[in-house]
Amino acid sequence: MKTFIITLLFLGMTVSSYSQEKVMKEGIMKVEDLPAVVIKSVGDDFSVYLPDMNSDPKVRKLEDNFIAYDLGKNYEGYETYLVYMEIKGGSLAATYNENGKLIRVVEEYKDVKLPAPVIYSVYKAYPGWEIVKDKYLYSQKEGDIEKKQYNLKIKNGKDTHKLTVHADGEILAER
C-alpha cells in the first residue's frame, strides 16, 4: 500500500509539472507578431509606434530599446522634445509634442541585413552586379509610415550605380 501511494504521488507531480511546462511554451508571444506598439496614452490620444519587422538584429535591438524607453516627465516645459538613440551603424530620433505624444520617428541604419525581396529584385534587374553598400531609411509620422526604403550602391567591375529600393523589392530610382 505504501508503494502504491508513493507511486501515485510521483505520477501526480510528474503529470502536473509536465502540463505547466507545456503551457509556458505555448504562451510565449513573439515580438514579430505585434503590429503596433502604444507607447503612452496622452489624454484621448495615443502615442503609436510601428516597429519595422526588419530581420537585422541591430535594427530590432534599437527599436526594442526605444519601445522600452520611459519618457517620464522629461518633456514638460518644452514645445517639442527629442529623443535620440544611437548604435554603431544606426540611429533613431523621435520627436514628442508638449503633451508627451509621439509625433515623428526617423531611423537610419548602414550595412544592414537586406530582406529577401530587396536582394531578389536587385539581382533580377541587374544580373552580375554586386551590392557593395546599403543604407536603410525608415520614418513615420503620427503612427503612419512615410518612408521605408533602402539606398543601395551596386557595382559591376568599374561601373557603379545607386539604387533606391522599397522594402517590398520595388526599385524606385536609379542614379
Side-chain angles (χ1 to χ4, degrees):
M1 184 70 173
K2 189 177 184 181
T3 309
F4 180 70
I5 292 174
I6 291 173
T7 305
L8 281 177
L9 184 62
F10 177 73
L11 288 174
M13 291 174 67
T14 306
V15 170
S16 65
S17 65
Y18 175 73
S19 66
Q20 289 175 358
E21 182 179 317
K22 190 172 184 177
V23 169
M24 290 289 288
K25 287 182 181 176
E26 291 174 0
I28 295 174
M29 185 173 194
K30 293 184 179 181
V31 175
E32 291 82 30
D33 297 338
L34 300 176
V37 177
V38 175
I39 296 177
K40 182 178 178 184
S41 172
V42 183
D44 295 335
D45 292 333
F46 292 95
S47 292
V48 178
Y49 173 64
L50 300 167
D52 182 36
M53 301 305 163
N54 194 311
S55 59
D56 193 308
K58 71 179 178 184
V59 174
R60 295 294 308 175
K61 182 179 178 184
L62 188 60
E63 289 177 342
D64 290 344
N65 288 340
F66 174 66
I67 292 168
Y69 179 76
D70 183 17
L71 189 60
K73 299 288 183 182
N74 293 336
Y75 64 89
E76 290 182 351
Y78 298 101
E79 277 186 38
T80 58
Y81 187 78
L82 177 69
V83 173
Y84 183 76
M85 297 182 172
E86 185 175 32
I87 58 171
K88 183 180 178 185
S91 66
L92 182 148
T95 307
Y96 292 86
N97 70 5
E98 67 273 359
N99 297 323
K101 181 182 178 201
L102 182 63
I103 302 287
R104 185 171 175 85
V105 178
V106 177
E107 301 178 50
E108 181 178 320
Y109 304 96
K110 294 180 182 179
D111 299 323
V112 296
K113 181 180 173 185
L114 298 172
V118 171
I119 295 171
Y120 178 75
S121 67
V122 169
Y123 286 135
K124 184 178 177 185
Y126 298 91
W129 290 72
E130 177 183 3
I131 300 171
V132 291
K133 284 188 182 180
D134 63 80
K135 182 190 258 186
Y136 175 57
L137 303 170
Y138 180 75
S139 66
Q140 62 181 355
K141 185 174 183 179
E142 296 181 3
D144 296 325
I145 298 172
E146 290 185 322
K147 184 184 286 189
K148 186 175 180 180
Q149 68 186 30
Y150 293 85
N151 293 337
L152 307 175
K153 183 177 181 182
I154 59 174
K155 184 176 184 180
N156 187 1
K158 292 186 178 186
D159 295 334
T160 61
H161 289 298
K162 292 183 179 181
L163 302 175
T164 302
V165 183
H166 191 271
D168 64 3
E170 178 187 355
I171 298 175
L172 302 173
E174 178 185 347
R175 296 167 271 160

